[in-house]
């Protein structure tokens, strides 16, 4: 049975404006570092940058790996950190999250774990691509059924599909071992729906902006940098990039088109351990 969606009072002629943050990898200890980067501080820097640009967003999407250590405190810290931004936040799990602990402790007056968002001419679906005990992902039959049921319930709305794992390969051999293992089938399946206009994910700690030529036109395929460490693009082995933490802004237009850009924290404050061989 299709569960109730979170709805926003946005005119059908108005764009839906979204901030995406992803992969903060927070710890119980706010002084803890991931490969040389204090993840609480880097998340704070990203959120400060978002606040400074005054983008008139309607809500925020947090696309997984909120925690690095599965702690209750890491989720409390995230909720506390985003509160000054003042935006409703919709979240989904990543492979570093425990969905049960996450649902219990990602709690706040503007924090939502529901899978459907209705806003303007759009329906945003928050999908779970995680597989317990595995770093890689898989889109289950239940999620395919959710997509089909949600589109049938709101056939006149455009669709943005949001998940944690990458359904396409990045060109980083070490990282592509941990992609969505049925990503190609997933894209081919969702491309059959004319309502689906974009796919958005995290996990890969780097920017991807490309398109898939589907039977009903181009699908936007988008990955977003982490709010902490960055993976070096196209590297066959594990390697960190010197680029700063980032986030993505999206404008979902009333005609079904998508405008989007990735932005990063200015300066060179965060410098990861370049000698790291993994994490």
């Amino acid at each position: 049975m299709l569960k109730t969606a979170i709805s926003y009072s946005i005119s059908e002629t108005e764009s839906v404006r979204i901030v995406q943050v992803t992969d903060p990898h927070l710890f119980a200890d706010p002084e803890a570092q991931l490969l040389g980067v204090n993840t609480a501080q880097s998340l704070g820097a990203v959120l400060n940058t978002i606040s400074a640009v005054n983008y008139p967003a309607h809500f925020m999407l947090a696309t997984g790996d909120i925690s690095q250590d599965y702690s209750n405190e890491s989720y409390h810290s995230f909720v506390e950190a985003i509160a000054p931004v003042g935006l409703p936040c919709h979240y989904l799990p990543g492979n570093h999250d425990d969905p049960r602990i996450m649902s219990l402790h990602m709690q706040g007056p503007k924090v939502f774990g529901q899978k459907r968002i209705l806003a303007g001419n759009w329906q945003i679906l928050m999908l779970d691509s995680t597989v317990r005990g595995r770093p890689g992902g898989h889109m289950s039959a239940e999620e395919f059924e959710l997509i089909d049921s949600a589109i049938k319930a709101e056939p006149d709305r455009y669709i943005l599909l949001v998940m944690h794992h990458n359904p396409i390969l990045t060109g980083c051999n070490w990282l592509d071992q941990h992609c969505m293992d049925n990503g190609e089938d997933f894209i081919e399946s969702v491309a059959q729906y004319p309502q689906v206009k974009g796919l958005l994910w995290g996990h890969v700690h780097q920017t991807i902006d490309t398109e898939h030529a589907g039977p009903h036109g181009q699908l936007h395929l988008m990955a977003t940098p982490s709010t902490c460490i960055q993976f070096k693009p196209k590297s066959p082995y594990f390697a960190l990039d010197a680029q700063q933490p980032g986030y993505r802004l999206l404008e979902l237009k009333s005609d079904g088109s998508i405008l989007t850009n990735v932005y990063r924290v200015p300066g060179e404050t965060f410098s990861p351990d370049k000698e790291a061989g993994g994490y």
Side-chain angles (χ1 to χ4, degrees), residues 201-267:
W201 63 88
H203 188 56
V204 298
H205 292 232
Q206 59 191 272
T207 302
I208 296 174
D209 281 287
T210 188
E211 293 184 327
H212 171 79
H216 303 288
Q218 299 291 331
L219 294 185
H220 291 261
L221 306 178
M222 300 163 282
T224 299
S226 166
T227 67
C228 61
I229 59 171
Q230 311 302 307
F231 297 150
K232 188 175 181 180
K234 306 298 183 184
S235 177
Y237 50 85
F238 181 90
L240 296 177
D241 200 344
Q243 291 200 80
Q244 294 297 290
Y247 63 97
R248 182 182 289 274
L249 301 181
L250 301 102
E251 182 178 358
L252 310 182
K253 305 282 282 184
S254 62
D255 63 359
S257 60
I258 299 174
L259 302 179
T260 185
N261 274 298
V262 164
Y263 301 89
R264 295 182 184 269
V265 171

Side-chain angles (χ1 to χ4, degrees), residues 77-97:
S77 295
F78 181 82
V79 172
E80 183 178 342
I82 65 172
V85 180
L87 293 174
C89 179
H90 301 265
Y91 69 86
L92 54 77
N95 52 288
H96 283 274
D97 294 306

Side-chain angles (χ1 to χ4, degrees), residues 164-170 175-176 178-180 183 201-204:
H164 180 69
H165 288 88
N166 48 309
I168 63 171
L169 300 180
T170 65
L175 182 56
D176 286 336
H178 309 309
C179 68
M180 185 190 300
W201 63 88
H203 188 56
V204 298

